[in-house]
């Protein structure tokens, strides 16, 4: 393994592990915000107390993941200067500002609002306190936007000129509205909500199997969020393929097969000189993992909605028929994707079969409840695997470019970094990040099993609200 490969592996490790924290943070925080708002709006004291317990329970899991996730992200910023000084020198004038804004938002604004929410129980007025978690949500997604602005520039450079081998920003609006960033942001937001929804549904299913009926509401909320998000993931993902035809034809040719790769290779050689511009062949497996798991999770979420809400639907037969027929439309697309690798073939018979299965699930839902709960528990890690597949596809699919068509990864590598230094830092990061990931999920599992009554977050304070 060469020095460049070690540097790429190190950045892939740090970015990939950090992303597993981020996707749960983005997916869980709006659900917690909705729960807190629901608790504040409740007029009945018992209902408010029950909803506050749930808010503290899910909020505690969110805080655990957030705190350890921040630690995994610290090393990423330093790598731009340590391992990839060529990238910093070439693009620092362009995407330095988005990265700086992301740091300000994530490490200052978001953390400040989260601290006020954590320590504001019993100290802030209820509506002011609930607004803090909504501000955390807003800044979390704003932070994701700025990261994807920088990444979108690397995927499809825009709004700049190159003078003396250095990129200079000329159109800030073009940078902010780069389609490669905006479409990816929609995809990431939807994937995060799918992850958060299934996380809530899976943990709720664990408690329902143990007879804790208070988790019936969170399970319904989780599967409903996951079902809606699965549709958004499907749409946002599909929108990215036409975009690749103009921004990264090599990646699209590799994914599509046929003569597209050879045509893109000839075009690259004509524009940039002789060389191998074909990404690693295993990149396509990222697409397979992302698509197949996405189809499976979408199908599971839609069937789970039918089963979880069957009692209410059974009392309104016309509504039940309408919901079943509508839910079968995307479910049929997902089933076709699982069976044939794409949603197109045999659409009508697949739709009819899925609609009949959903009707059966609605009728015989009592028998399917416990198997569904076990399935939802098993599904908790699957969105994380799907998102890693999508990340591999997006990042390695543009190789050998780090800034597509402008700067290769070999040119971006810092000069003078020794092989031993790179290997040592890689092993050190692997050890530290592995320990953080294990600690995160150990704590999440421990506190998730204990339930709301054991949550430490938001214990009543002695002081009365003064704001």
């Amino acid at each position: 393994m060469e020095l460049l490969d070690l540097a790429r592996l190190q950045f892939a490790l740090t970015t990939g592990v950090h992303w597993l924290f981020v996707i749960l943070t983005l997916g869980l925080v709006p659900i917690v915000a909705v729960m807190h708002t629901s608790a504040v709006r409740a007029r009945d004291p018992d209902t408010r107390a029950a909803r506050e317990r749930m808010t503290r329970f899910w909020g505690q899991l969110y805080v655990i993941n957030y705190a350890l996730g921040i630690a995994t992200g610290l090393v990423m910023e330093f790598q731009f200067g340590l391992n990839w000084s060529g990238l910093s020198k070439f693009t620092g004038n362009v995407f330095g500002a988005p990265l700086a804004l992301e740091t300000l938002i994530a490490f200052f604004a978001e953390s400040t609002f989260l601290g006020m929410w954590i320590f504001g129980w019993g100290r802030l007025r209820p509506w002011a306190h609930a607004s803090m978690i909504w501000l955390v949500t807003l800044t979390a997604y704003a932070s994701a936007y700025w990261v994807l602005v920088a990444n979108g520039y690397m995927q499809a450079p825009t709004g700049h000129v190159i003078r003396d081998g250095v990129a200079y920003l000329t159109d800030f609006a073009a940078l902010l509205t780069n389609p490669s960033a905006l479409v990816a942001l929609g995809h990431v937001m939807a994937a995060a909500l799918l992850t958060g929804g299934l996380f809530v549904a899976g943990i709720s299913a664990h408690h329902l199997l143990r007879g804790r009926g208070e988790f019936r509401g969170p399970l319904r909320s989780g599967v409903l969020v996951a079902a809606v998000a699965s549709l958004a993931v499907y749409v946002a993902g599909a929108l990215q393929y036409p975009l690749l035809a103009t921004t990264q034809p090599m990646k699209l040719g590799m994914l599509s097969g046929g003569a597209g790769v050879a045509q893109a290779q000839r075009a690259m050689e004509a524009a940039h000189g002789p060389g191998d511009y074909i990404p690693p062949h295993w990149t396509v497996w990222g697409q397979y993992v992302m698509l197949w798991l996405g189809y499976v999770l979408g199908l599971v979420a839609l069937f789970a909605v039918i089963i979880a809400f069957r009692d209410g639907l059974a009392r309104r037969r016309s509504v039940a028929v309408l919901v079943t027929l509508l839910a079968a439309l995307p479910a049929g697309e997902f089933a076709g994707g699982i069976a044939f690798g794409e949603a197109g073939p045999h659409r009508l018979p697949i739709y009819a079969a899925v609609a009949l299965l959903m009707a059966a699930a609605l009728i015989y839902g009592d028998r399917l409840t416990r198997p569904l709960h076990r399935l939802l528990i098993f599904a908790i890690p699957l969105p994380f695997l799907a998102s890693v597949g999508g990340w591999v596809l997006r990042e390695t699919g543009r190789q050998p470019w780090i800034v597509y068509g402008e700067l290769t990864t070999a040119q971006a590598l810092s000069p003078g970094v020794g092989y031993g230094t790179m290997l040592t830092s890689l092993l050190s990061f692997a050890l530290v990040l592995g320990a953080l990931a294990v600690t995160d999920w150990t704590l999440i599992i421990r506190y998730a099993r204990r339930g709301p009554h054991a949550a430490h977050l938001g214990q009543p304070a002695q002081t009365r609200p003064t704001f």
Side-chain angles (χ1 to χ4, degrees):
M1 185 176 289
E2 298 181 356
L3 179 64
L4 177 61
D5 298 322
L6 285 179
R8 289 180 59 196
L9 181 59
Q10 180 174 302
F11 197 78
L13 172 69
T14 55
T15 308
V17 172
H18 180 61
W19 169 243
L20 296 178
F21 289 83
V22 170
I23 193 171
L24 181 58
T25 296
L26 292 174
L28 192 54
V29 65
I31 298 176
V32 174
V34 171
M35 289 182 177
H36 196 169
T37 304
S38 176
V40 171
R41 292 186 62 188
R43 296 180 179 273
D44 179 66
D46 293 334
T47 302
R48 171 175 288 195
R51 292 177 180 178
E52 282 188 354
R53 281 197 302 272
M54 276 296 170
T55 302
R56 293 196 298 269
F57 171 71
W58 296 109
Q60 181 166 277
L61 301 183
Y62 165 77
V63 170
I64 291 171
N65 187 74
Y66 179 91
L68 291 167
I70 285 289
T72 64
L74 291 175
V75 296
M76 292 177 55
E77 303 288 347
F78 295 104
Q79 286 188 82
F80 288 116
L82 296 175
N83 293 347
W84 304 102
S85 61
L87 173 65
S88 300
K89 180 180 179 181
F90 178 79
T91 62
N93 295 313
V94 178
F95 79 0
L99 289 181
L101 287 168
E102 188 276 333
T103 301
L104 288 172
I105 291 172
F107 288 94
F108 291 93
E110 184 180 356
S111 298
T112 299
F113 293 136
L114 180 59
M116 294 178 69
W117 184 73
I118 292 173
F119 299 106
W121 293 90
R123 294 181 173 88
L124 297 176
R125 297 294 182 186
W127 279 108
H129 188 211
S131 69
M132 292 300 104
I133 193 64
W134 280 110
L135 288 172
V136 172
T137 304
L138 177 64
T139 50
Y141 280 89
S143 177
Y145 166 72
W146 288 114
V147 169
L148 286 169
V149 165
N151 183 264
Y153 173 80
M154 298 168 72
Q155 300 287 339
T158 186
H160 75 290
V161 295
I162 298 176
R163 295 194 300 267
D164 300 324
V166 177
Y168 292 90
L169 183 64
T170 58
D171 190 343
F172 193 51
L175 182 69
L176 299 184
T177 57
N178 188 344
S180 291
L182 298 181
V183 177
L185 177 64
H187 199 198
V188 164
M189 291 172 60
L193 289 172
L194 175 62
T195 303
L198 288 176
F199 178 83
V200 170
I203 292 177
S204 299
H206 166 81
H207 287 283
L208 286 172
L209 285 173
R210 283 151 182 79
R212 298 166 185 168
E214 59 187 321
F215 280 90
R216 188 169 288 106
L219 182 137
R220 289 176 175 174
S221 299
V223 296
L224 185 60
V225 169
V228 174
S230 69
L231 307 183
V233 169
Y234 179 77
V235 172
L239 290 175
Q240 295 189 65
Y241 285 91
L243 189 61
L244 291 177
T246 56
T247 59
Q248 297 184 21
M250 176 63 79
K251 181 189 290 186
L252 183 62
M254 181 188 63
L255 298 177
S256 304
V261 172
Q263 294 175 359
Q265 173 68 19
R266 289 193 295 269
M268 281 290 185
E269 289 179 345
H272 304 285
D276 184 5
Y277 298 98
I278 301 175
H281 67 278
W282 47 265
T283 301
V284 297
W285 286 99
Q287 176 184 237
Y288 298 150
V289 171
M290 175 188 66
L291 291 179
W292 192 82
L293 286 178
Y295 292 143
V296 169
L297 293 173
L299 200 60
V300 168
L302 288 166
F303 269 92
V305 166
I306 295 295
I307 296 173
F309 289 90
R310 70 186 185 282
D311 292 338
L313 293 174
R315 292 192 293 268
R316 302 173 179 85
R317 293 186 178 181
S318 58
V319 175
V321 171
L322 179 61
V323 169
T324 301
L325 294 176
L326 290 176
L329 287 172
E333 297 291 296
F334 298 151
I338 295 171
F340 302 103
E342 57 180 345
H346 312 294
R347 182 172 274 122
L348 184 59
I350 290 177
Y351 169 74
V354 169
L356 289 174
L357 289 174
M358 284 191 162
L362 188 61
I363 296 171
Y364 302 103
D366 290 337
R367 302 178 186 179
L368 299 174
T369 299
R370 293 185 68 83
L372 172 66
H373 291 168
R374 295 189 179 93
L375 181 60
L376 289 173
I377 296 172
F378 174 77
I380 290 176
L382 299 185
F384 296 92
L385 296 177
S387 68
V388 169
W391 174 78
V392 168
L393 171 63
R394 182 172 175 85
E395 297 304 311
T396 63
R398 73 168 185 266
Q399 293 300 317
W401 303 102
I402 195 167
V403 179
Y404 197 82
E406 303 283 2
L407 186 73
T408 66
T409 51
Q411 294 169 334
L413 186 65
S414 297
V417 179
Y419 191 92
T421 302
M422 188 71 71
L423 180 60
T424 301
S425 62
L426 170 61
L427 295 176
S428 301
F429 283 152
L431 182 63
V432 172
L433 294 174
L436 288 171
V438 170
T439 301
D440 180 53
W441 280 99
T442 299
L443 291 174
I444 286 176
I445 292 171
R446 177 183 300 173
Y447 284 98
R449 284 177 172 174
R450 291 179 180 178
H453 296 280
H456 299 298
L457 179 70
Q459 292 296 329
Q462 297 301 318
T463 57
R464 294 178 61 85
T466 58
F467 176 72

